Amino acid sequence: MRRFIDLADFNRDQILDLLALARALQDKPEPRALAGKILGLVFLNPSLRTLASFQAGMARLGGSSFVITPGQGTWQLETHLNAIMNGAAAEHIREGIPVLASYCDALGVRAFADGRSLNEDLREPLFEMIDGLCDKPLINMESAMNHPCQALADWRTMDELKVPARAKFVLSWVYHPKALPLAVPAAAVQMAAMRGMEVVVLRPDGFAMPPQIMDKARLAAASAGGSVTETGDRAAAMAGASVLYAKEWGTTLYYGDTEADSRLRADLSQWCVRESWFTGALPDAKLMHCLPVRRNVAVADEVLDGPRAVVKREAFNRLTVQMAVLHRMLA
Ligand code: CP
């Protein structure tokens, strides 16, 4: 495997193979599988889980890693093409990425959305540029519109919990004081559609998922036997649900307009998941969230501290599935 950028680049059997390998590596560790291999990790944006789980996973397989957080002890990197670099950035990724790739056997990069133009961000111009600059295996550690490592961990978590492939999966918008990127919700919809689930996106007006993301997921659902719909009706969405996947994201109607986004979300603070949201869901319905989560803003304590929440298992599975990806790339 040379690239792990989007779950949609893989067929269902290839995903199932990665999930089986994740399970196998957990049951029967291979502490020398990647001896002598080096993973480079470039974080253009902050992280807790992604950074720690990739370093831990590489070490558990016998390899090593280095971390670059541009501007924090290393040169700040410019990411825009044709930039006149008379500002804070001393180096362009056009030099930085190939140089870093030359020191390692695989590179992971986190590069969030620019957040100004929806159509631009949907094209993933920054990650495409990084892809073209990296002659080593490349892992998407969250790009403008994708987070395949999170999606794979979420798929494994549902398998562990024995959530049926045809179960109802509700991705719900939840409140956050500011606009967050679409990467995780887009990846979650794609993952659940590829898994064959009945996917419902629940969101207030102004926060509809972009048609490009919905169409792509519908294509995956069609071949996996599932469906993908969207609604603003919480009771209808939650009826019979097995999973509520909570996520915060910015307005898509006025994408990039901070003031319009603030106005739209001003009256939406009640979109904080409480136990009452699960009325009508299956009795053992689960609450998923990629983390980090703002307690009592996005999800209430009563849910996060209760038996429905599987958020820490999702985070743990970042380690197990990423070890499978690294093993397929480098072993
Ligand atoms: N879910 C996730 O990617 O967590 P971090 O942002 O902490 O890496």
Side-chain angles (χ1 to χ4, degrees), residues 124-154:
E124 297 268 18
L126 178 53
F127 219 85
E128 281 219 344
M129 178 158 54
I130 291 166
D131 188 2
L133 293 166
C134 180
D135 63 356
K136 297 286 173 61
L138 176 66
I139 300 171
N140 178 352
M141 301 199 300
E142 189 171 339
S143 63
M145 293 287 164
N146 223 318
H147 198 350
C149 297
Q150 183 65 50
L152 194 60
D154 293 337

Side-chain angles (χ1 to χ4, degrees), residues 12 20 42 65 97 103 120 132 146 159 182 190 192 199 210 230 233 276 287-288 329:
R12 208 183 141 76
V42 181
S65 54
I97 292 292
Y103 300 147
E120 253 321 86
N146 223 318
D159 285 356
L182 285 159
Q190 181 68 25
V199 182
E230 193 164 22
D233 181 340
S276 58
L287 178 278
M288 299 181 75
M329 278 185 164

